Amino acid sequence: MSQVEKKAGLLRRTSSSKKPLKEKVVLMYDEIFKEDPAKHNSRFWDELFLMKVNLEYLESKLETVDGEEVQRIQDNINSLFHHCVQALGEEHQIKVVNALQTLCALFRGVHQKNKSASGFDIINMLMGFDKAEQRMKDLMERLDSLLCGDGSESLKSLCLKLLLCLVTVTDNISQNTILEYVMINSIFEAILQILSDVSSRGQHGYDAVVLLALLVNYRKYESVNPYIVKLSIVDDEPTLDGMGMVVHQALTEYNRQYKDKEEENQGGFFSTLTSMVRFNFHSLHLISKYVTNEAILLALYEAVHLNRNFITVLAQSHPEMDIAATPMTPTPTTPTTPLGTTPPSLDMMNNPELPLDPNLLTSNLLITFLKYASIVMQDTKDEHRLNSARLCLIILTCIAEDQYADAFLHDDNMNFRVNLHKMPMRHRKKAVDKNIPSRPLVCAVLDLMVEFIVTHMMKDFPMDLYLRCVQIIHKLLCYQKKCRIRLHYTWRELWSALINLLKFLLSNETTLLAKHNIFHLALLVVNLFNMFITYGDTFLPTSNSYDELYYEIVRMHQVFDNLYCMVLRVSTNTGQWKEAASKVTHALVNVRAIINHFNPKIESYAAVNHISQLSEEQVLEVVRSNYDTLTLKLQDGLDQFERYSEQPKEAAFFKELVRSISLNVRKNVSLNTLSQDVLLKEFSTIS
Amino acid sequence: MEDTELEVSPTPSDQNSPSPSSSPSLSLPSTPSSSCAPPPAATPPLGVISEGVAELSLFIDAEVAQRACQEVLQKVKLQQVEGDVPSQHSGAKPVPNSPPVALTASGKPMKIREQEDDPEGLAPGSVKSARRRQRHNPSKQSWLLRLFESKLFDVSMAISYLHNSKEPGVQAYIGNRLFSFPHEEVDFYLPQLLNMYIHMDEDVGDAIKPYVVHRCRQSISFSLMCAWLLGAYSSDMHISTQRHSRGTKLRKLILSDELKPAGSRAHRDPLTFSLIPFCPTSSPATGPGPLGGDHGLSPSKRTHQRSKSDATVSISLSSNLKRTASNPKVESSQDEPVRLAPQREFIKSLMGIGKRLATLPTKEQKTQRLISELSLLNHKLPARVWLPTAAFDHHVVRVPHTQAVVLNSKDKAPYLIYVEVLECDNFETSSVPIRIPENRIRSTRSVENLPDCGMTAEQRAGSFSMVPNYDNDDEAWSVDDIGELQVELPEVHTNSCDNISQFSVDSITSLESKDPVFIAAGDIRRRLSEQLAQAPTTFKRDPEDPSAVALKEPWEEKVRRIREGSPYGHLPNWRLLSVIVKCGDDLRQELLAFQVLQQLKSIWEQERVPLWIKPYKILVLSSDSGMIEPVVNAVSLHQVKKQSQLSLLDYLLQEHGAPTTEAFLSAQRNFVQSCAGYSLICYLLQVKDRHNGNILLDAEGHIIHIDFGFILSSSPKNLGFETSAFKLTTEFVDVMGGPEGDMFNYYKMLMLQGLIAARKHMDRVLQIVEIMQQGSQLPCFHGSSTMRGLKERFHMSLTEEQLQLLIDQLVDGSMRSLTTKLYDGFQYLTNGIM
């Protein structure tokens, strides 16, 4: 192969010479920007794709082209684009690689130059209006066949990188007009295929999932996005499972890193040692990927929100992948059989002796997600974390609304120990991990909500997150009421957390009112109590727990008294909050009835028995013996809730989120990760 | 060698089917004509035989033999006509006549075969030897023949003669006679048949083999059952002999899937064909009569095959990635070998799970692991797999994985799974149900369809075909939109719950009225405690004993719950089964015990004595694995005592009501009848290791003994104690109303009646055990006196008065036995069983 020799020579020259002796490829690029390059050399294009691409040069060259020049060289750029697409069909893999990289540079360069330009101008400049449709069709078809074919894994990886590059080339994905062609010529099936196959999922799963999440967000609210439609009807279990696995692994990775860091901070020889050992398992670029996980979280959201079949994947148990990051390493090794991920083939059946570590705890995507959420929610000051926390709560909202998800959340036979991360706080000791009992998953969700409520009462009040949090609890209670599920949960913790929240709202009334409608939150909280008071018979686990509810209300009666005074005051004044406050006054009617009924009884009991301080048992006794004289008012609509809908409420959030993810992905798409040497080595063995 | 034998052995059955392509089952209509023909035509060939075989033959004997055979034939034909109605019989019937046909009518060819492979030529052999015997003792022989022809001659007797008779002729005759018995009856004795095949001499083996091979051809489940049993019962042989034993060879043959029905017979055609000229009915090579008959049936044959290929497609679909399976080429190539594969894989993966569970240290981890493994197994279902312990044909569609529990065992990991199946006409030919994704539960649908359970078969069949295809995404979208679930759910649950909390549910509707509604806090509180009290007593969840809760839940309740949660639950032919998977345990003794129990049960039924026992089905997969059909609605006495902290009597009072209520009295009666039954069983079989973990109490008050690991000659750890005849603790006696009570006397009377009845049919019991002793290393056969001891315990020599005395002694001894108490204490100390 003479060309390969030439190439080798070239490479040597570039590495040795420091003089501005230009690379041949650079000269060729220059030629494109001057005149029709094929005029003098008919084999120009053939040769070009044999050269190692100089991405920086090509991009900068494209950026420097100014207005008039554009007109002049547009044909040449169109031609370059055309030949790139054609080269993708070449048998010679080097050409394909170079063409892919060149395309990347083209997309980037042209967009960089014309940030303000309309999408149509960009299309015109790249492909020419009249031919754009055909060119993009060809491009997408070629990419599709490369992705689905049996070709090199590095090529597939590069294809995905190109697509990611194309999708994130604008800050706002919806302004990226070229994507219109990606909508018409869907690569959805190719993405699914990658996800359904164990080995390709291991290597390209992450990119595929991120790509899918981004494509789904293209002009989501304005037009019919075929990716949304398609994603919503996927019902192939191996594929959905594969998608779940990718998300699972990414989140597990994050959780582990966090844990390692935490252990490191706590010090100790052993922990540092293990984290050092573990560190070796991650390649560096993986870590950079996991700084924030919004892209993967967005994918999880879209899957949960759009595809109801995906809900089953959440509960799909997998033995926890400890150090199972191996399939994610970019080196094209044959991945180890990931436990439990083999798609329904006879693999597992034929191989009853799977490698098994008895210490592995069984886990599933939902558990991993809850752990992840518990970490992310700890600190919502950072904007990325705030976004992540919000997205986590939105996902939980969707889950809490899904009947199937609720069914397995409450399934008494599916008990798990979920180690949620808790923020170290002054007034409480860090819970010992080992003592967490094995319970239905909904307990972990409730724990997480309680944890959030307790830990975020701060000046910079995350009102939005609190609302979501309380609504999630409400939805779960509604499900329990409807299905008469008597969950053995320590409801007391929830009650006291909610009462403390009310207390916080009261004491920070003025500062909070400046920014938020605290009455809405207060109403939701009071209505949670109303749920327990009026419907407690349908879902409380023991009759004692109903007594305890009353005990807790009576014990903390001052909070409710103060709240009532406050809302009464606001509702009698004319003002912005008049109506909101008056709703709270109505909602408080039963709580007040309870307090007014039992307080005198307790006092008289104390007086009669000459006890200054009643014990809990004594109070409960008073409560038990005085139910019959108490009348409550049945409130309407306590068990009804507003269903989650993305539009219009959340649209702005998602737009912003997708923008930030786009920026992040663009930054991290590194085409250079595949060095030419690696590729050459690989392809020399292939061809 | 084995191959050629096989090529030959089915030939007698082929003689009736001149058309090369026709399978034995398809030649059915032609057989009447062929068997009507023999009488006149048969005499000369018989003469030929008598000349060829014996120089001096009594003509009349030959006639007797011939008539006998014809009568058998005739009977078979009659049965056949009746048997044609149930579809599964139709395949089996035609063959039974063919051996007799060969017997009577085959002339020269049979003689030739005799010379070539004498031991193999069974049919003529039987004639020959029968005649030979007749010469010695004509009267006895005719008596025997008459017995064989009589209506009284049942499978049990056939097995017994097969085992005891030293005459190859009789054995061969019985081998042929097996064809005429109903399949289920022979199936009961399959362990005996196969054990004889493995461990007894050639003649018996040769007599049995054609039947086994024939049945294997017909049925996948029979094939697998044979393969498993052959493997299990060959395992006691020395490794060197085992490899070359008949049992192992036959097992290999079955598993290689050589024994295929109709379609695969093509390569045997030359042989079949060459025999046709000798077929007595059709004088030319291919007579028009049989051919016409074959044609008449061919349409049904074609549909039959089509449905089968459909089925295999769905197997490959479920066992392979869809992408490959959608390629028709792949399917067709997989069509054949897949016959036994799905079921074998299914069983294998269940065993694999058991093995992997055994490596985990805690129950909790085992349970979690089990759930996750089963959820993966679900991906491969539905498939052409079934639970062999079930009584009806079905396909397994789903394993509700979250319901599975790990059972209490120290080092092994037996587990209990529930299995959702769809009943079908025939699991081999009915097509495998389509997969319905997990989350497509329609609560409304399942409720609507619940009353349908009681509908007739036709309705069921009709509605089954009406079931829409759930693969249609549009439909799925529109029907169970998440939004609707909100409205659906309350209705579902008001349906299932009573009106206690109607009030709370109604509050939604109160939206309409403007007047405020008031409720009393006291009412809410009262409803709460009432509802909690009303709920059936459940056991507390204990991570160390996960099975207690699962087993306590009433079966109907569980079925309803699982059905509601299942995507297949709305189908009218949906059923729930359960099975215990045992890995690492030898269930051969359990199987023996099951057979004895079943036999005694039918004896007691036959003699109308109301003793109650519950034999539970055992599936032996190998010498160290198997499955057990769980007893539903039953928990162990250990679990009862641990969870309730009550005495047995108090627990029964709590569960069924005051001592004078009808509910309690019937529970008590059940208790006594079952106690009597199991006391006798324990005595006769010398069942040991009777601690409370091995005795179940069901929801109706019956006790049920499980775990027959120590019977006959074996005892746990050979600890000498636990010597009492059976377990009769004071607690038991208390439930019966004390040692002076009427119920206690009733108990003793039942035992006496039971023993007398069992004694009457002792042979039926002994035979089961005796045959299994052949070549067995099982601990229950340890020592030489096993059979003698068993026989003695039936006390044939005692009068009924003496028997009564014996029963009194046994009961007295057991009641006063310290060892029972001691043994319970020992179990508590060592295994934590109360």
Side-chain angles (χ1 to χ4, degrees), chain B residues 70-131:
Chain B
Q70 273 165 12
E71 271 168 44
V72 171
L73 240 177
Q74 214 65 41
K75 238 178 284 165
V76 168
K77 252 181 284 163
L78 281 174
Q79 275 184 350
Q80 200 182 95
V81 178
E82 295 159 44
D84 272 343
V85 188
S87 59
Q88 76 240 65
H89 288 256
S90 61
K93 290 303 167 199
V95 183
N97 5 348
S98 25
V101 168
L103 205 146
T104 50
S106 58
K108 288 242 156 80
M110 281 311 163
K111 224 171 86 186
I112 292 162
R113 281 188 57 207
E114 268 169 52
Q115 285 154 2
E116 280 166 5
D117 41 23
D118 197 48
E120 194 56 38
L122 1 134
S126 73
V127 175
K128 183 179 70 179
S129 48
R131 200 171 299 117

Side-chain angles (χ1 to χ4, degrees), chain A residues 233 237 308 316-317 350 352 356 404 411 413-415 417 482 486 535 537 547 628 630 632 634, chain B residues 356 359 364 368 372 375 379 402-403 435 438-439 477 480 486 501 507 517 519 525-527 531:
Chain A
I233 57 174
E237 267 155 24
R308 278 169 317 126
Q316 185 73 65
S317 301
N350 290 338
L356 177 84
Y404 182 84
D411 193 328
N413 292 304
M414 277 171 76
N415 291 313
R417 293 176 203 276
K482 262 167 214 155
R486 301 184 183 278
Y535 299 125
D537 57 334
D547 307 336
D628 280 329
L630 172 65
L632 300 170
L634 190 63
Chain B
R356 272 167 269 154
T359 61
E364 197 183 329
Q368 286 189 358
S372 74
S375 75
H379 279 318
T402 61
Q403 307 301 320
R435 179 167 174 76
E438 188 76 358
N439 62 340
W477 257 132
D480 57 0
Q486 259 220 285
S501 204
S507 70
V517 181
I519 41 174
R525 173 63 162 75
R526 213 167 295 122
R527 277 203 300 266
Q531 268 191 346

Side-chain angles (χ1 to χ4, degrees), chain B residues 607-797:
Chain B
E607 298 294 323
R608 296 172 200 281
V609 285
L611 279 85
W612 191 97
I613 49 170
K614 167 107 188 145
Y616 50 90
K617 281 195 193 139
I618 301 291
L619 178 71
V620 170
L621 292 170
S622 71
S623 57
D624 69 345
S625 64
M627 294 198 206
I628 300 178
E629 175 196 35
V631 181
V632 298
N633 287 336
V635 282
S636 74
L637 292 181
H638 161 67
Q639 283 165 335
V640 165
K641 292 168 83 98
K642 193 179 167 194
Q643 294 275 352
S644 69
Q645 300 290 338
L646 295 171
S647 76
L648 199 53
L649 177 62
D650 289 339
Y651 178 79
L652 283 171
L653 289 170
Q654 175 200 304
E655 291 285 300
H656 299 280
T660 49
T661 58
E662 199 177 326
F664 176 80
L665 289 175
S666 99
Q668 191 188 34
R669 194 183 55 245
N670 289 338
F671 184 85
V672 169
Q673 288 174 347
S674 57
C675 257
Y678 278 106
S679 295
L680 270 185
I681 299 273
C682 286
Y683 170 63
L684 292 174
L685 278 184
Q686 291 291 297
V687 183
K688 299 296 176 205
D689 195 25
R690 293 299 90 196
H691 55 74
N692 285 337
N694 279 341
I695 303 173
L696 308 185
L697 182 70
D698 79 359
E700 291 164 330
H702 297 116
I703 62 159
I704 297 147
H705 282 244
I706 57 165
D707 188 350
F708 296 93
F710 297 101
I711 52 172
L712 298 172
S713 301
S714 70
S715 152
K717 289 166 197 160
N718 291 323
L719 279 170
F721 61 88
E722 202 190 8
T723 49
S724 66
F726 40 83
K727 178 160 177 162
L728 188 67
T729 61
T730 45
E731 273 199 299
F732 284 19
V733 180
D734 286 347
V735 175
M736 297 186 207
E740 308 305 324
D742 287 346
M743 287 314 271
F744 191 69
N745 285 329
Y746 179 51
Y747 163 74
K748 287 201 277 189
M749 192 198 76
L750 281 178
M751 280 187 63
L752 178 64
Q753 288 180 343
L755 187 56
I756 291 170
R759 194 168 73 155
K760 193 169 152 194
H761 299 275
M762 178 181 82
D763 287 340
R764 276 164 69 185
V765 178
L766 291 180
Q767 146 203 31
I768 290 176
V769 183
E770 197 172 6
I771 297 177
M772 296 320 281
Q773 194 176 11
Q774 296 267 349
S776 173
Q777 303 282 319
L778 290 176
C780 64
F781 296 123
H782 189 74
S784 54
S785 58
T786 306
M787 279 313 292
R788 201 182 59 228
L790 178 60
K791 230 175 265 180
E792 277 168 6
R793 283 190 293 276
F794 283 96
H795 300 283
M796 288 307 278
S797 55

Side-chain angles (χ1 to χ4, degrees), chain A residues 108 111-112 115 161 164-173 176 210 214 658-671:
Chain A
R108 275 193 193 169
H111 275 94
Q112 210 59 39
K115 271 197 172 141
K161 299 265 194 265
L164 279 175
C165 168
L166 171 62
V167 168
T168 58
V169 84
T170 56
D171 290 354
N172 180 350
I173 190 169
N176 189 348
V210 171
L214 288 169
V658 172
R659 179 189 287 267
S660 108
I661 291 171
S662 282
L663 289 173
N664 203 30
V665 170
R666 191 198 303 161
K667 209 164 59 194
N668 287 317
V669 169
S670 44
L671 292 152

